[in-house]
């Protein structure tokens, strides 16, 4: 088996590559040409995978990479995936996250039409939710340029499946986190902010909407669902979620609990980090994935938060910085800066 992964250097791509290597796959990862590359998440497996240069903005490069890899499975995880950036760069988001899906589907159709294709859809497509919980049949109502772009990618995948007979599926994954999550995402910024506060490197954590609810799971569990979707006899789309929703406040409280601090002493509300159009609540129904794919998550919400905070503390400790705070105001080290976060 040969797997072709776009976005291999990201959170999901790195966990998926690990999983596929364990299953005996030959793994090819797509990276964009850059003067400097960030391979931190895949450094420990880089000698086991083959990296190919290609870009979702350039269909020719995708076709050439596919010709070299000759994959049996294609996982399209690459995108401009940070929601706040999608308002600042809506056209670029559309090019990568929407039209980029068409480019890779066209490349697969031309080069390796028998390959099975996984498209990374998103719970952000539901946006202003029509029903709770959200299932595979819930209508989409995106509330950001990112969500709109993901809806295009989802529907064009269905279109290629029905028009050309490609084995192409979409995983409608709800929020999934890990210590490998990008620092720009609210969960990782909370974990990183807690670590900095605990170590005396920051004096506060600025957040926007504390009442926004999300269905948060562990990324390492969710990539297993991606793989399972491509092992089915017929292509079909699935919601992947925990079926439990937590607020940003819940996440922050748990994160500070890990280090023995009260979140109310450190969290500051900042309206600058509110979305132009808020997505108040997302809650997925994973029952179909659990029944058909036999998928189940292994890491709880509480364990995931603990993992993230402890990983960031360990990272700073390895850097040799910080003077741990044992209680409010007990640090003798002058805080260096504040931490800001966005959802």
């Amino acid at each position: 088996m040969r797997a072709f992964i776009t976005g291999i250097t990201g959170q999901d791509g790195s966990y998926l590559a690990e999983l596929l290597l364990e299953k005996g796959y030959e793994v090819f990862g797509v990276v964009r040409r850059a003067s400097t590359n960030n391979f931190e998440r895949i450094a420990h497996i880089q000698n086991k995978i083959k990296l190919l240069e290609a870009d979702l903005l350039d269909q020719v490069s995708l076709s050439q990479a596919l010709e070299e890899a000759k994959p049996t499975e294609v996982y399209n995880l690459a995108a401009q995936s940070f929601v706040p950036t999608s308002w600042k760069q809506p056209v670029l988001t559309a090019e990568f996250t929407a039209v980029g899906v068409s480019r890779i589907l066209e490349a697969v159709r031309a080069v390796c039409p028998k390959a099975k294709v996984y498209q990374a859809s998103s719970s952000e497509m539901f946006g202003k939710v029509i029903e709770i919980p959200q299932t595979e049949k819930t209508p989409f109502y995106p509330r950001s340029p990112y969500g709109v772009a993901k809806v295009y990618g989802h529907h064009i995948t269905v279109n290629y499946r029905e028009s050309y007979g490609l084995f192409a599926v979409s995983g409608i994954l709800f929020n999934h986190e890990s210590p490998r999550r990008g620092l720009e995402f609210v969960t990782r910024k909370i974990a990183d902010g807690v670590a900095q506060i605990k170590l005396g490197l920051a004096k506060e954590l600025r957040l926007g909407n504390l009442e926004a609810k999300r269905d948060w799971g562990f990324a390492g569990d969710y990539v297993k669902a991606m793989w399972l979707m491509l092992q089915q006899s017929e292509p079909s789309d699935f919601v992947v979620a925990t079926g439990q929703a937590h607020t940003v406040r819940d996440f922050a409280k748990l994160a500070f609990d890990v280090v023995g601090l009260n979140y109310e002493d450190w969290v500051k509300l900042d309206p600058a980090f509110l979305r132009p159009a808020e997505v108040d609540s997302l809650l997925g129904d994973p029952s179909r994935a659990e029944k058909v794919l036999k998928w189940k998550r292994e890491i709880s919400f509480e364990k995931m938060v603990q993992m993230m905070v402890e990983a960031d503390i360990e990272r700073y400790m390895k850097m040799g910085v910080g003077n741990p705070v044992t209680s409010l105001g007990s640090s003798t080290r002058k805080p260096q800066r504040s931490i800001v976060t966005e959802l």
Side-chain angles (χ1 to χ4, degrees), residues 149-163:
K150 279 295 185 181
V151 170
Y152 174 94
H154 182 89
H155 282 308
I156 200 66
T157 301
V158 173
N159 188 261
Y160 270 66
R161 178 170 73 216
E162 296 178 350
S163 301

Side-chain angles (χ1 to χ4, degrees), residues 89-132:
Q89 297 180 326
V91 176
L92 184 64
T93 298
E95 285 289 347
F96 274 113
T97 309
V99 184
V101 183
S102 292
R103 294 190 184 100
I104 196 159
L105 287 170
E106 268 297 290
V108 168
R109 188 167 76 92
V111 176
C112 49
K114 293 184 179 181
K116 295 183 175 182
V117 180
Y118 173 87
Q119 164 61 19
S121 286
S122 168
S123 60
E124 285 287 331
M125 300 188 303
F126 295 121
K128 189 175 181 179
V129 298
I130 305 298
E131 62 181 3
I132 300 174

Side-chain angles (χ1 to χ4, degrees), residues 81-82 177 181-190 342:
S81 59
F82 189 43
E177 320 298 324
R181 188 57 141 157
L183 282 167
E184 69 272 24
F185 291 89
V186 67
T187 51
R188 178 67 193 289
K189 281 190 173 180
I190 291 175
E342 299 176 60

Side-chain angles (χ1 to χ4, degrees), residues 245-300:
H246 299 273
T247 63
V248 174
R249 186 187 301 276
D250 293 336
F251 197 107
K253 182 181 184 302
L254 274 173
F256 277 97
D257 285 348
V258 171
V259 297
L261 297 176
N262 183 353
Y263 83 100
E264 293 178 326
D265 295 330
W266 306 93
V267 171
K268 307 297 179 185
L269 300 182
D270 190 338
F273 301 109
L274 297 175
R275 290 183 176 188
E278 186 58 79
V279 174
D280 296 315
S281 178
L282 293 173
L283 175 64
D285 179 358
S287 58
R288 184 165 177 268
E290 292 171 345
K291 180 180 179 180
V292 178
L293 301 179
K294 308 302 181 186
W295 174 80
K296 64 178 181 178
R297 64 191 182 106
E298 299 178 4
I299 303 297
S300 69

Side-chain angles (χ1 to χ4, degrees), residues 33-287:
R33 175 71 177 92
S35 56
T36 58
N37 291 307
N38 182 9
F39 295 157
E40 179 182 358
R41 296 184 182 94
I42 58 171
H44 61 296
I45 56 172
Q46 195 170 341
N47 64 339
K48 300 178 182 179
I49 61 181
K50 183 168 184 179
L51 298 179
L52 305 173
E53 287 187 3
D55 197 313
L56 284 181
L57 299 183
D58 181 10
Q59 187 172 327
V60 172
S61 68
L62 292 171
S63 295
Q64 291 173 341
L66 286 168
E67 286 174 353
E68 182 172 351
K70 297 179 175 58
T72 52
E73 296 177 2
V74 174
Y75 296 85
N76 184 37
L77 311 184
Q80 190 302 100
S81 59
F82 189 43
V83 174
T85 296
S86 74
W87 274 290
K88 297 176 182 178
Q89 297 180 326
V91 176
L92 184 64
T93 298
E95 285 289 347
F96 274 113
T97 309
V99 184
V101 183
S102 292
R103 294 190 184 100
I104 196 159
L105 287 170
E106 268 297 290
V108 168
R109 188 167 76 92
V111 176
C112 49
K114 293 184 179 181
K116 295 183 175 182
V117 180
Y118 173 87
Q119 164 61 19
S121 286
S122 168
S123 60
E124 285 287 331
M125 300 188 303
F126 295 121
K128 189 175 181 179
V129 298
I130 305 298
E131 62 181 3
I132 300 174
Q134 294 87 59
T135 72
E136 291 83 0
K137 296 181 179 180
T138 301
F140 300 138
Y141 195 148
R143 296 269 281 174
S144 68
Y146 169 77
V148 172
K150 279 295 185 181
V151 170
Y152 174 94
H154 182 89
H155 282 308
I156 200 66
T157 301
V158 173
N159 188 261
Y160 270 66
R161 178 170 73 216
E162 296 178 350
S163 301
Y164 301 116
L166 292 184
F167 190 112
V169 305
S170 289
I172 308 173
L173 270 58
F174 280 64
N175 294 63
H176 45 290
E177 320 298 324
S178 76
R180 300 179 193 176
R181 188 57 141 157
L183 282 167
E184 69 272 24
F185 291 89
V186 67
T187 51
R188 178 67 193 289
K189 281 190 173 180
I190 291 175
D192 180 74
V194 169
Q196 290 201 38
I197 288 171
K198 178 63 178 178
L199 297 175
L201 301 173
K203 61 182 179 180
E204 63 183 20
L205 177 64
R206 290 187 173 271
L207 295 171
N209 183 7
L210 292 181
E211 305 312 319
K213 289 185 177 181
R214 294 293 185 271
D215 185 329
W216 276 302
F218 176 58
D221 288 338
Y222 283 35
V223 298
K224 297 174 185 176
M226 298 178 187
W227 176 76
L228 285 169
M229 288 182 212
L230 296 193
Q231 310 316 306
Q232 305 306 301
S233 58
E234 296 293 333
S236 183
D237 306 325
F238 290 89
V239 163
V240 181
T242 71
Q244 301 174 348
H246 299 273
T247 63
V248 174
R249 186 187 301 276
D250 293 336
F251 197 107
K253 182 181 184 302
L254 274 173
F256 277 97
D257 285 348
V258 171
V259 297
L261 297 176
N262 183 353
Y263 83 100
E264 293 178 326
D265 295 330
W266 306 93
V267 171
K268 307 297 179 185
L269 300 182
D270 190 338
F273 301 109
L274 297 175
R275 290 183 176 188
E278 186 58 79
V279 174
D280 296 315
S281 178
L282 293 173
L283 175 64
D285 179 358
S287 58

